[in-house]
Amino acid sequence: MLITSPVVVGREDQLAALDRALASVRQGGGRAVFLLGEAGIGKSRLAGECAYRAFTGGMAVLRGRSGAVGGDAMPFRPIAEALLSLFRVSGPPQDPELAPYRSALAGMLPEWRGGDRQAAPAALIETAEAVLRLLASVGGDLATHQHPGCLLVLEDLHDADAETLAVVEYLCDNIGGLPVLLLATLRPEAGPAGELAQELGRRRAAVLSTLRPLTTDEVRTMAEAALAALTALPAGGADLLPQQVADRLAQDAEGNPFVVEELLSGMITAEVLHRGPAGGWQVRGDPAIDVPRTVVRSVAQRVARLSPSGRTLLNTAAVLGRRFSLPVLKLVTGLNDRDLLIHLRAGIDAQLISPSGPVADRYEFRHALTAEALLTELLPTERAAIAGRAADAIEDAYPGLPDQWCHRVAALRLTAGDTRAAALRYAEAGQAARGDGAMDSAVSLLERAQDLLADPARAADRAPVVEQLVYTLVETGRLDRALALADTLPETGPGALAAPDSAALHSRLAWAAVTAARYQDATARMHRVRRLLGRFDSTALTPALHVVEAHLVLADTTAGADRVAEAERLARLAAEGAEAVGLPEIACQAWQLLALLERRYGFDRADACLERGLALATEHRLPTWQISLLLRLGTNDFMHSGSSVLMERAHRAAVDHGALVLMHNSAAGLAMQSVMLGEYATARELTDRCAPATARLGNADTHQFVLLTQAMLAAHQGRSRELEQALKEFRQWDGDQSLQVPLVFGSRAVCALLHENREQALHELDQALAWEEQHPSVFYLNGLHGLRPLLRALAGHPASEPEADSPAALPWNRQFERLALAVHEGRAGRPARAEAAVAQAHEASRPFPMARRLGQRLVAEAALADGWGEPVGWLRSAEGYFHDAAVPAVASACRDLLRQAGATVPQRRSGTANVPALLRQQGLTAREYEVFLLLVSRLGNQEIAEKLYISARTVEKHVASLLAKTGRPHRAALCDYAAELGTHLG
């Protein structure tokens, strides 16, 4: 007889908190709640009640439970189960925004696994981001109420794997603005899950709620509700629950709801508690003698009433874990289908097991305490024997142990006492987890295998496990641990790797050290590799060594100018050697490095290297390398043609493949190109989409680039406040250590020019030059090769002839470099040459509208002074552009130069339409708006007058009018208001 309370008792505070969380989620405010408590305290019941309320409120509900096998958790088990619990019925969502994340989720959602396309396992943080995006999509559009939020329930988190805990932490940190409620249950004992919960609670990323035991009155209420469900009497009837039973429950159950139900069940089964003639319940005998005092006794009594085969079935199931499948149980017990189902039904009738979810062949013990009670009743030798038989049966039935079977067998072998066999299976499971991208689980499994082989007599078995663990640690970025562990392997004797394997291992460590800029560690590993080279044919290893050596030579600033040529020689040897011995990934590494080195000879040679690498990546189906090389080709193509076609192609490929890091890299590249092309709305859309994702992913390089693009976007519109805010965040992400620092100076220089501060602009570019003299050049469009020569020419500095194939030939630079030449030629009295240079500049500047007009404004001043060209036409074009773009300083300077030239000047005061609606509503005129914009920089009246070519007295009147119309008490407050609105007003 199943005894259970139909109502939740004693959890009013928790239910109220969950109701508030659900209400917050319906408004788009995500929450994370952790329910902590001992086994049987009611965590699952409370989670179920929350799920019911969410479902009846129209929310999408996803539920999953962590499941351990012999104490070892399966990677992503509860999350995969939660996703499948919804999609098994409705299918995966069709939101096109989820397309880039399909490959990251393919391991959990079979419907999203590509046919023949083999995608590399997603990084853990990419999987976490993919789960976050999926939950947000399932939560739906709050505006249309298609799905007013999403509830994700993860139970028994204390049994979860490392990957699941990492995803849970990521979700907790990032669901604040999403319509998602994460509800997790776990036991409070120490462990990774408990430590994570406490940490999330400390930083207020999750709400922790510890369930207390029920009070005496609450135990009585719960028991009465459970008994009332078996009778027609209402709960709380005077004769429904005898007082002595209530006292016994309060004493023995210690406030644990599950134990209350078990004790009631035991009383009724033993007929100590039975129905009276009026429908109530009466006591027969002494409850202190007849009622089971513990759950273990209760479970043991029910098991004892089963047949011997039934008891064997349940004991076997308990050894397999709380959750089990019928096919495995059949294999181990040897029962036929008919007998298996008979004994299974008996276990269900005894209230010990129940179906588990929608899958027909999955069952679970009714409660974790039930399985634990069964195991407690087994002798260690009985448990070992069952585990050994189970391992043998699974190995016979599933050759090669695919999927999770290797993991299961490892745990069973350990229970059986065969530590060597368990270690070898754990090592196999670790390698499989690594192949599936579950890197943290791989590390855990391999470390467990290593620990089980700690006996010196097992040194030969331990060496290959350590080898795999080192590779895995390198791939997860734990280089220090990998280096230390590799040093525990002897170079000779028992436990030593074969020379080729040892050389390959240390070569991989050297490459990891190089990419982390740890050149001393890389050099030390290379020395170890060289000591081994004479012992075997190293032809297949040499290309990888040459790639590492090329990077080391390039990083050695003491090696002199010839180091670049030597690095190129080594990289070329690596590329050619890797192709000869069939190592396409090494070849791609080498060709990519060569492309960087070949830039000094021109982009054609650099592109040839990238195209060779792309051909190899395509031939050998290396999609990540294909996208990476295509992205670099797209960058080069834009630099020497102004076209974004290839970059757009790289971005589409990254989206299709689900390569999140490359997707963000290409999107950031497209955003920067859009800034240069004057497509500011597109640039803002791309950066607004990328910035939160790259920050969440912790992708520092890409996030720095996105922030720099936001800074450039502000600079190219003259928004100095917005520029400095982006640069402040850039510095917070260690931007000062980035190789992209010259872009900071270049952006500030452009912004200074848009505020007519030519001296400051030249100072910024001089700083960029000083920085690049101490660092390798990584970006050619920062102003050094075009804008700086123009500003120097305008300042009267002598001309310098650009080198052939230099960055000055790139269109973005050439437009300014040609104008610099025009200034010099005009000043030397050669107007025809000056005008020809301007024509070349205009041709180069076609894709870049803002830069084109800025160049016209700058060169027109020199043309007016020296009497050549068409300065009036250039100034009219620039004035119109910058007036429409709300860059008043440049527009005003153009009007002043037109007056100097004796040309008519367009009157802009009537342009009320250019005043933003917010300020128009306050009555600001066009001229007052121009004054208002200049107050952002806190200029004095005389400075404003000079920029707008009006009198200081007129400025004073405009300021007084602005104070009255905006309601600001004084000039400082008016300046603050102008700065506050500056980002939005342009």
Side-chain angles (χ1 to χ4, degrees):
M1 181 182 295
L2 179 62
I3 304 296
T4 184
S5 172
V7 296
V8 178
V9 177
R11 306 300 182 213
E12 291 78 11
D13 291 344
Q14 285 82 6
L15 285 172
L18 290 173
D19 282 339
R20 289 194 296 272
L22 291 172
S24 175
V25 166
R26 292 187 183 97
Q27 300 302 316
R31 299 281 184 89
V33 178
F34 284 64
L35 301 178
L36 293 84
E38 65 182 10
I41 201 67
K43 303 184 296 295
S44 294
R45 189 173 314 207
L46 197 54
E49 178 65 21
C50 181
Y52 173 77
R53 296 184 182 193
F55 180 78
T56 55
M59 277 191 179
V61 178
L62 298 81
R63 299 187 70 172
R65 185 193 299 274
S66 299
V69 178
D72 296 306
M74 307 297 185
F76 300 114
R77 169 78 176 260
I79 295 174
E81 184 174 294
L83 299 181
L84 290 171
S85 71
L86 179 67
F87 304 151
R88 190 177 289 115
V89 176
S90 61
Q94 301 303 313
D95 186 349
E97 293 290 328
L98 293 176
Y101 305 96
R102 288 191 170 205
S103 62
L105 293 171
M108 291 183 272
L109 296 174
E111 293 90 340
W112 279 357
R113 292 174 188 166
D116 297 329
R117 187 178 70 177
Q118 296 296 317
L124 179 56
I125 199 164
E126 293 181 335
T127 300
E129 175 70 8
V131 172
L132 180 71
R133 296 296 185 105
L134 182 56
L135 293 175
S137 176
V138 170
D141 186 352
L142 294 173
T144 61
H145 299 283
Q146 291 177 343
H147 260 314
C150 167
L151 170 65
L152 172 64
V153 180
L154 300 176
E155 297 191 60
D156 293 344
L157 206 60
H158 49 270
D159 282 336
D161 56 284
E163 281 75 23
T164 293
L165 295 181
V167 172
V168 167
E169 180 177 16
Y170 189 85
L171 295 178
C172 291
D173 286 336
N174 293 288
I175 61 175
L178 301 176
V180 178
L181 172 60
L182 168 62
L183 178 61
T185 71
L186 69 156
R187 298 181 189 176
E189 60 261 20
E195 292 170 1
L196 173 62
Q198 296 301 325
E199 172 60 27
L200 291 170
R202 277 192 294 270
R203 63 178 192 244
R204 299 185 179 181
V207 176
L208 307 188
S209 180
T210 300
L211 274 61
R212 58 171 177 77
L214 301 181
T215 65
T216 299
D217 289 342
E218 289 167 345
V219 167
R220 182 183 187 95
T221 300
M222 177 186 172
E224 288 176 343
L227 294 176
L230 301 178
T231 67
L233 295 177
D239 60 348
L240 184 60
L241 182 68
Q243 185 61 44
Q244 62 189 123
V245 173
D247 294 342
R248 180 56 56 187
L249 291 176
Q251 175 182 326
D252 290 349
E254 298 180 344
N256 187 297
F258 175 75
V259 178
V260 169
E261 293 174 348
E262 289 293 306
L263 293 175
L264 277 176
S265 177
M267 290 179 183
I268 293 172
T269 301
E271 297 186 351
V272 172
L273 186 63
H274 65 97
R275 292 184 185 179
W281 294 86
Q282 297 178 348
V283 178
R284 176 187 299 158
D286 184 0
I289 297 174
D290 297 324
V291 174
R293 300 296 300 268
T294 66
V295 175
V296 173
R297 280 191 60 193
S298 174
V299 171
Q301 286 184 352
R302 276 176 276 169
V303 172
R305 287 192 279 272
L306 302 177
S307 67
S309 295
R311 292 196 295 272
T312 298
L313 181 142
L314 289 178
N315 288 335
T316 301
V319 172
L320 291 174
R322 181 182 175 185
R323 308 169 87 184
F324 54 90
S325 67
L326 294 190
V328 175
L329 200 58
K330 180 181 177 181
L331 284 172
V332 180
T333 60
L335 295 171
N336 59 40
D337 290 340
R338 178 178 176 278
D339 291 341
L340 181 71
L341 293 176
I342 289 174
H343 297 310
L344 189 69
R345 170 53 62 184
I348 294 173
D349 291 342
Q351 304 168 26
L352 296 169
I353 58 177
S354 60
S356 175
V359 181
D361 64 357
R362 299 296 173 88
Y363 287 80
E364 64 180 9
F365 285 96
R366 183 180 165 218
H367 197 278
L369 291 176
T370 306
E372 292 172 11
L374 282 168
L375 292 175
T376 301
E377 291 294 294
L378 289 174
L379 296 173
T381 53
E382 291 177 309
R383 292 177 65 179
I386 293 172
R389 289 198 304 272
D392 291 340
I394 292 172
E395 286 179 340
D396 289 342
Y398 301 98
L401 299 178
D403 300 322
Q404 297 295 335
W405 294 117
C406 188
H407 196 158
R408 289 172 179 261
V409 168
L412 291 168
R413 290 295 182 201
L414 188 60
T415 302
D418 190 345
T419 55
R420 179 178 182 274
L424 297 180
R425 291 304 189 195
Y426 275 125
E428 291 178 32
Q431 293 180 49
R434 178 183 168 202
D436 290 338
M439 305 304 289
D440 286 340
S441 286
V443 169
S444 177
L445 291 165
L446 289 166
E447 285 180 336
R448 187 159 194 178
Q450 179 196 212
D451 292 342
L452 292 173
L453 297 170
D455 189 333
R458 301 291 187 197
D461 291 327
R462 178 178 176 271
V465 175
V466 171
E467 178 186 21
Q468 291 301 315
L469 181 53
V470 169
Y471 279 118
T472 309
L473 290 170
V474 167
E475 291 175 25
T476 56
R478 293 172 241 193
L479 184 55
D480 285 325
R481 286 179 61 189
L483 292 169
L485 185 60
D487 288 339
T488 67
L489 290 170
E491 294 191 22
T492 59
L497 294 174
D501 295 333
S502 181
L505 182 67
H506 289 290
S507 174
R508 180 67 181 87
L509 287 168
W511 173 250
V514 157
T515 57
R518 294 174 54 168
Y519 301 117
Q520 288 185 344
D521 287 326
T523 300
R525 294 295 147 176
M526 290 297 291
H527 287 160
R528 295 190 64 165
V529 173
R530 290 189 186 101
R531 292 202 301 267
L532 296 167
L533 291 182
R535 304 182 193 176
F536 63 98
D537 181 1
S538 60
T539 304
L541 183 63
T542 302
L545 301 180
H546 282 155
V547 171
V548 174
E549 289 172 338
H551 282 275
L552 289 175
V553 168
L554 199 60
D556 185 4
T557 56
T558 66
D562 291 342
R563 75 181 191 275
V564 177
E566 176 62 10
E568 180 185 343
R569 184 186 70 84
L570 290 168
R572 195 169 298 281
L573 284 174
E576 294 170 353
E579 289 195 43
V581 296
L583 298 172
E585 290 194 67
I586 301 296
C588 288
Q589 291 175 6
W591 284 118
Q592 186 165 279
L593 176 59
L594 273 171
L596 178 65
L597 299 173
E598 290 280 8
R599 268 189 182 179
R600 68 193 196 278
Y601 302 121
F603 278 82
D604 289 343
R605 291 177 62 167
D607 285 352
C609 294
L610 293 173
E611 286 166 358
R612 178 56 192 157
L614 180 59
L616 284 171
T618 303
E619 177 185 353
H620 294 279
R621 296 186 178 182
L622 302 174
T624 300
W625 273 108
Q626 284 179 275
I627 299 167
S628 179
L629 291 161
L630 187 60
L631 192 157
R632 291 175 182 267
L633 278 168
T635 300
N636 286 1
D637 188 43
F638 178 82
M639 291 171 73
H640 60 67
S641 74
S643 170
S644 296
V645 172
L646 279 182
M647 183 66 80
E648 290 170 354
R649 181 178 158 198
H651 182 63
R652 287 194 299 271
V655 170
D656 291 342
H657 186 65
L660 298 187
V661 172
L662 292 173
M663 181 184 76
H664 296 313
N665 286 345
S666 56
L670 282 172
M672 184 164 284
Q673 293 175 10
S674 295
V675 172
M676 294 180 169
L677 295 171
E679 298 168 355
Y680 300 137
T682 299
R684 183 170 296 280
E685 179 185 355
L686 287 167
T687 55
D688 286 351
R689 188 185 306 166
C690 276
T694 53
R696 285 197 301 265
L697 292 170
N699 187 345
D701 286 344
T702 304
H703 191 60
Q704 289 171 354
F705 191 74
V706 172
L707 293 173
L708 281 179
T709 304
Q710 290 179 330
M712 181 183 286
L713 175 61
H716 280 230
Q717 298 173 87
R719 299 176 177 178
S720 55
R721 184 183 181 89
E722 188 177 333
L723 164 67
E724 293 305 323
Q725 181 59 41
L727 293 180
K728 178 182 178 181
E729 191 172 350
F730 173 73
R731 289 190 293 273
Q732 291 172 348
W733 278 78
D734 294 328
D736 290 339
Q737 308 303 316
S738 169
L739 294 178
Q740 303 172 98
V741 165
L743 291 176
V744 174
F745 301 120
S747 295
R748 281 180 167 159
V750 170
C751 195
L753 289 174
L754 296 186
H755 285 273
E756 285 293 310
N757 191 339
R758 199 178 303 171
E759 182 179 349
Q760 179 64 32
L762 186 55
H763 173 70
E764 296 289 349
L765 294 175
D766 286 342
Q767 285 188 283
L769 179 64
W771 188 94
E772 285 208 359
E773 287 175 347
Q774 302 298 321
H775 303 83
S777 176
V778 295
F779 197 77
Y780 297 140
L781 307 185
N782 52 39
L784 291 183
H785 306 284
L787 192 56
R788 183 173 179 272
L790 174 57
L791 296 182
R792 285 175 57 81
L794 292 170
H797 293 280
S800 57
E801 191 69 25
E803 300 177 3
D805 294 323
S806 77
L810 300 175
W812 176 264
N813 294 328
R814 182 172 173 78
Q815 62 181 332
F816 298 117
E817 181 271 332
R818 291 288 90 185
L819 293 179
L821 176 61
V823 171
H824 289 300
E825 295 290 357
R827 189 174 296 152
R830 294 187 286 267
R833 292 187 180 183
E835 291 167 7
V838 170
Q840 293 171 332
H842 284 177
E843 180 63 28
S845 68
R846 288 185 184 279
F848 315 116
M850 190 283 290
R852 178 186 182 91
R853 286 359 182 265
L854 180 60
Q856 288 175 332
R857 177 266 173 271
L858 293 172
V859 78
E861 185 171 339
L864 278 175
D866 297 325
W868 58 271
E870 301 176 8
V872 171
W874 301 336
L875 287 169
R876 290 193 189 284
S877 174
E879 192 277 340
Y881 176 86
F882 286 111
H883 175 80
D884 292 343
V887 183
V890 180
S892 296
C894 290
R895 288 194 290 272
D896 182 54
L897 289 170
L898 285 170
R899 290 189 186 96
Q900 292 180 28
T904 58
V905 179
Q907 296 298 311
R908 299 294 187 180
R909 284 192 293 266
S910 61
T912 307
N914 293 322
V915 180
L918 175 65
L919 297 179
R920 281 204 308 273
Q921 292 171 4
Q922 297 178 30
L924 268 69
T925 66
R927 179 58 89 182
E928 287 170 349
Y929 176 56
E930 290 179 344
V931 173
F932 183 79
L933 287 176
L934 291 173
L935 287 173
V936 172
S937 301
R938 300 182 183 273
L939 301 178
N941 287 354
Q942 186 60 43
E943 293 171 294
I944 294 175
E946 291 174 358
K947 288 186 175 295
L948 297 181
Y949 308 101
I950 56 179
S951 70
R953 177 63 178 165
T954 301
V955 174
E956 183 179 352
K957 291 180 179 179
H958 286 316
V959 171
S961 178
L962 286 169
L963 288 170
K965 291 179 178 180
T966 62
R968 304 295 142 170
H970 46 69
R971 186 187 183 102
L974 182 62
C975 291
D976 290 340
Y977 181 51
E980 179 185 347
L981 297 184
T983 297
H984 306 290
L985 301 181

